[in-house]
Amino acid sequence: MNHVLLPQRLLARQDDVPGRYADESWRMLQQLLLKSGIALVDCSCYVVGGGYGLGQGPQDVGGRNVAQVLALLQQAGVAVDRSDVGGNWYRTVQFDPEDGELRIRKYKTVPPQRQLAR
């Protein structure tokens, strides 16, 4: 399971935690699977998130994250079994490794209140 903050690192920083970026976390996940002897073809792939829970601005970080993840998966030949992306939602995700169930809860965000003109 990966959770990404941004599609890719734009600036190299010494104090930055690895794995926050889609491209880096994907490489890390592939390495962990390889070390564990798990082939990508034996994995189920779910893509969840990418909503604009904090307001959809010109940056659209969630949409860019989803686009980057889907591109990386396509390059690796990984099929997406299920997706729940975009929209005016934020989500919580629970994965149960015992039964393989993915539980997604979606919460509608409240649009920011407009400032009244004085």
Side-chain angles (χ1 to χ4, degrees):
M1 180 181 264
N2 276 4
H3 178 257
V4 299
L5 179 66
L6 293 168
Q8 65 226 12
R9 182 189 305 263
L10 298 178
L11 300 172
R13 290 178 26 184
Q14 294 287 40
D15 62 340
D16 214 350
V17 178
R20 289 183 177 181
Y21 308 93
D23 57 344
E24 292 176 8
S25 65
W26 174 238
R27 284 191 301 273
M28 291 169 67
L29 181 60
Q30 286 178 301
Q31 290 169 354
L32 287 170
L33 290 171
L34 185 63
K35 278 184 185 176
S36 300
I38 300 170
L40 281 175
V41 296
D42 294 332
C43 297
S44 295
C45 180
Y46 306 123
V47 178
V48 179
Y52 45 93
L54 300 177
Q56 187 177 25
Q59 298 281 327
D60 188 20
V61 173
R64 290 179 24 237
N65 282 346
V66 169
Q68 175 77 331
V69 166
L70 293 175
L72 291 166
L73 292 170
Q74 184 179 24
Q75 288 171 5
V78 176
V80 176
D81 297 316
R82 181 174 161 198
S83 67
D84 187 337
V85 297
N88 191 19
W89 306 95
Y90 67 92
R91 297 164 175 87
T92 60
V93 178
Q94 292 178 312
F95 175 71
D96 186 342
E98 294 292 320
D99 63 11
E101 273 299 307
L102 183 73
R103 293 172 186 84
I104 303 166
R105 287 184 147 176
K106 295 189 337 186
Y107 303 90
K108 191 82 169 165
T109 61
V110 178
Q113 294 183 0
R114 293 184 179 173
Q115 295 289 338
L116 298 176
R118 292 184 181 204

